[in-house]
Amino acid sequence: MGIQAWTYTLVFLSFAIYIGIAIWARAKSTKDFYVAGKGVHPIANGAATAADWMSAASFISMAGLISFLGRDGSVYLMGWTGGYVLLALLLAPYLRKFGKFTVPDFIGGRYYSQTARLVAVVCAIFVSFTYVAGQMRGVGVVFSRFLEVDITLGVFIGMTIVFFYAVMGGMKGITYTQVAQYCILIFAYMVPAIFISVMLTDSVIPQMGFGSTLADGSGLSLLDKLDKLHVELGFSQYTSGSKSTIDVFCITAALMVGTAGLPHVIIRFFTVPRVKDARISAGWALLFIAILYTTAPAVAAFARTNFITTVHGKSYAEAPNWFKNWEKTGLLTWQDKNGDGKMQYFGENKAQSPGIGENELTVDRDIMVLANPEIAQLPNWVVALVAAGGLAAALSTAAGLLLVISTSISHDLLKKVLMPNITERKELLYARLAAGGAVLVAGHFGANPPGFVAQVVAFAFGLAASSFFPAIILGIFYKRMNKEGAISGMIAGIVFTAGYIIYFKFINPAANTSENWLFGISPEGIGTIGMLLNTTIALVVAKFTASPPDEILKMIDDIRVPVSTGRNI
């Protein structure tokens, strides 16, 4: 079968599995809808957490970023991986012991304030919509190439699938769907990586192939060859970095603390029966995540090497099929600037490589992982498998984010603030309506995203870092933190960070250069400054306002101090 036939087959089968699971595990109560009845096994929850956390940014865009940025792309690896460790060890057990459904619920209860709850609801919705835009963009990219439909139509198809199993199943349906999605996405990521590692380096383990000697008899290692190719074509060395140290630090920190503040990941630890199970599932999730994240640098290097060697200097008339297939999507373009009929791929460093010409290729970074099997001429079923894996990664995270939005509206806004006497049946109805409305908005952002997938996701992490993280960490470990401090900090942090991103990405994109950035920090890293601003304002305001009530102080002690017996351990 051809690539398209294989893709239709595998995508249809995976969608059938997702919908079947949603029907089997449909939510029958608000507890099922919000936290899957708190009855998920730790291993299953670990797999679901890994799928929820490893979004389209991890599967599709991260290796693509590394393949273009080289060492600079490592900030995404360090930030997201370190952030998950921070979340698993420092926050998850305490939040699970608190026993509430959502992050706004924790903030509203810890800071004894409906205003704090409302601010947290707004932050959760804002962060989640920013994040889900990247997922829907990933869905559109996959559909536009492999099913040969317009990106907007691809986004609409993805919206329909997510709407069905998120609205029907709630957290219960999403959890078991995400277990299946993890199995699909990790298999889809590893199979081509192993194939290409063997082809290039004779190593069956991609992580080892990344640093191995090439099998072409040149005696060069993979990274040495990439460095050599980059220098010859006028790019910076693949293993060198061009970002400033402060920007690397801030992006990494923003991704780390943003991960720890992401509401759709935090809520996963409420779905297990006990606090002990939350710790166990966090460990399993870290193992499941590590499989993909330790493979990503190798995939990036494989893709970059194969792309350059199969395209640069080749006649367009003899261009491989994969090139012309991706051209149809508009995500890969060639302009014959010198009229010689050959595809020239050059960087801008003419001082380093005086003989280079003008670049004729424009490549969207989000295509590298998806195009990698085609470039390496792997079997058609492997190419289709990667498409199914990319969809699984995007849809799993999108579903988790949409659930956060719906629960923030139905539980935290309606039930806790505006309509406290609402029945459980009506609350569940409003949750499903909110999820449906969120799908429509997410689809719009997916069709009109503010950047490539990983960049959009980085903005979401920065917003989470500047809003939620200080309020959560201070709420657990600093008893003196009060509602006035938390509210002031959250508002200041997210307004500053969102304003900075909006200015450089939408109002004045021409000024989006390191010379104009505050302290040389890019919009992707500004969440770190927003977090520090949030923390500083929160601490100062708390110092000059009233201490929290005694019952709040006792509640914090109960959260922080382990109990020797009982169900919560």
Side-chain angles (χ1 to χ4, degrees):
M1 290 195 297
I3 291 175
Q4 192 173 29
W6 268 112
T7 303
Y8 272 111
T9 301
L10 294 181
V11 169
F12 175 80
L13 287 175
S14 63
F15 282 3
I17 291 171
Y18 306 155
I19 293 172
I21 291 173
I23 294 172
W24 166 74
R26 62 188 181 276
K28 298 177 181 177
S29 67
T30 53
K31 192 174 182 181
D32 280 346
F33 194 91
Y34 294 144
V35 289
K38 294 187 178 182
V40 180
H41 191 279
I43 297 179
N45 194 56
T49 303
D52 204 357
W53 186 75
M54 290 192 298
S55 63
S58 295
F59 189 99
I60 296 174
S61 199
M62 183 175 65
L65 275 173
I66 297 171
S67 70
F68 279 83
L69 299 176
R71 194 185 72 177
D72 285 342
S74 64
V75 297
Y76 294 91
L77 279 172
M78 294 187 295
W80 285 333
T81 307
Y84 182 78
V85 175
L86 182 68
L87 169 64
L89 298 181
L90 199 61
L91 299 182
Y94 298 104
L95 291 174
R96 174 61 185 82
K97 193 174 179 184
F98 187 77
K100 296 296 184 179
F101 286 149
T102 65
V103 174
D105 219 6
F106 168 80
I107 289 176
R110 164 60 180 87
Y111 295 112
Y112 50 97
S113 167
Q114 296 290 59
T115 303
R117 184 188 301 276
L118 286 173
V119 172
V121 167
V122 172
C123 291
I125 293 172
F126 193 50
V127 169
S128 298
F129 271 129
T130 305
Y131 199 170
V132 82
Q135 311 315 308
M136 288 302 173
R137 157 76 175 178
V139 171
V141 169
V142 174
F143 273 107
S144 67
R145 162 61 190 96
F146 295 105
L147 300 183
E148 297 183 3
V149 300
D150 181 73
I151 285 183
T152 302
L153 178 58
V155 169
F156 177 79
I157 296 171
M159 287 166 48
T160 304
I161 299 298
V162 172
F163 177 84
F164 187 86
Y165 71 78
V167 171
M168 175 178 287
M171 179 57 85
K172 187 176 180 182
I174 287 172
T175 295
Y176 293 107
T177 301
Q178 285 172 336
V179 174
Q181 286 167 331
Y182 175 78
C183 296
I184 292 170
L185 76 87
I186 203 65
F187 188 67
Y189 203 83
M190 295 304 299
V191 166
I194 293 169
F195 262 110
I196 300 173
S197 182
V198 171
M199 291 169 63
L200 290 180
T201 68
D202 287 333
S203 175
V204 74
I205 302 175
Q207 292 89 335
M208 295 181 65
F210 178 55
S212 298
T213 301
L214 291 167
D216 60 5
S218 65
L220 293 173
S221 72
L222 176 65
L223 293 177
D224 285 339
K225 180 171 182 177
L226 259 181
D227 276 342
K228 187 171 181 292
L229 286 171
H230 269 225
V231 172
E232 288 174 352
L233 298 179
F235 296 99
S236 299
Q237 277 196 332
Y238 188 79
T239 55
S240 66
S242 59
K243 285 184 177 292
S244 66
T245 302
I246 188 171
D247 197 29
V248 169
F249 173 82
C250 286
I251 293 175
T252 303
L255 294 174
M256 281 185 65
V257 297
T259 298
L262 282 176
H264 76 292
V265 177
I266 290 173
I267 198 173
R268 290 238 53 92
F269 297 102
F270 292 84
T271 64
V272 291
R274 302 172 300 171
V275 175
K276 178 182 177 181
D277 295 328
R279 296 189 181 98
I280 294 171
S281 65
W284 278 106
L286 186 58
L287 174 63
F288 294 141
I289 289 166
I291 296 172
L292 187 146
Y293 266 62
T294 57
T295 308
V299 171
F302 298 156
R304 185 68 170 171
T305 302
N306 283 335
F307 179 82
I308 292 174
T309 55
T310 57
V311 170
H312 174 69
K314 302 297 190 295
S315 168
Y316 179 75
E318 300 173 354
N321 288 334
W322 71 263
F323 186 94
K324 294 181 178 179
N325 287 334
W326 278 101
E327 261 195 314
K328 296 175 185 176
T329 68
L331 301 173
L332 175 64
T333 59
W334 172 68
Q335 182 182 359
D336 191 5
K337 295 179 181 178
N338 60 9
D340 66 354
K342 294 183 178 180
M343 298 180 289
Q344 308 293 336
Y345 186 49
F346 291 116
E348 298 177 352
N349 198 343
K350 295 183 183 293
Q352 174 180 280
S353 304
I356 69 172
E358 193 171 1
N359 180 51
E360 298 177 343
L361 291 173
T362 302
V363 189
D364 190 300
R365 300 173 184 186
D366 289 339
I367 76 170
M368 293 305 290
V369 171
L370 298 173
N372 197 23
E374 289 182 274
I375 298 172
Q377 298 181 333
L378 297 185
N380 290 341
W381 68 268
V382 178
V383 178
L385 180 64
V386 171
L391 288 173
L395 295 176
S396 62
T397 303
L401 291 164
L402 293 170
L403 188 70
V404 167
I405 295 169
S406 68
T407 54
S408 294
I409 293 173
S410 63
H411 182 72
D412 296 305
L413 183 60
L414 297 180
K415 176 70 174 178
K416 294 291 186 176
V417 179
L418 301 179
M419 305 166 67
N421 297 321
I422 190 174
T423 64
E424 181 174 316
R425 184 175 179 180
K426 282 194 174 181
E427 185 183 351
L428 184 59
L429 173 63
Y430 286 129
R432 286 180 164 139
L433 290 174
V439 168
L440 296 176
V441 178
H444 169 75
F445 285 127
N448 303 279
F452 51 86
V453 174
Q455 187 181 46
V456 175
V457 169
F459 295 154
F461 278 69
L463 294 169
S466 64
S467 56
F468 283 128
F469 182 76
I472 294 171
I473 203 77
L474 292 173
I476 294 171
F477 296 103
Y478 183 49
K479 293 172 66 173
R480 181 64 176 75
M481 181 52 55
N482 59 15
K483 63 180 180 181
E484 292 84 1
I487 293 169
S488 302
M490 282 192 293
I491 293 174
I494 199 165
V495 167
F496 168 79
T497 304
Y500 191 90
I501 292 171
I502 290 169
Y503 176 77
F504 283 114
K505 296 304 295 182
F506 300 103
I507 297 176
N508 191 11
N512 190 20
T513 61
S514 58
E515 292 80 12
N516 298 316
W517 295 338
L518 180 66
F519 307 126
I521 300 170
S522 64
E524 290 85 355
I526 199 63
T528 298
I529 304 302
M531 175 199 66
L532 295 175
L533 179 66
N534 179 336
T535 305
T536 302
I537 289 177
L539 290 172
V540 170
V541 171
K543 182 175 178 61
F544 293 99
T545 49
S547 177
D550 290 340
E551 60 268 22
I552 299 299
L553 300 178
K554 183 179 183 304
M555 179 187 70
I556 299 168
D557 285 334
D558 290 340
I559 294 173
R560 286 168 49 185
V561 179
V563 181
S564 58
T565 59
R567 180 174 169 78
N568 279 333
I569 295 300

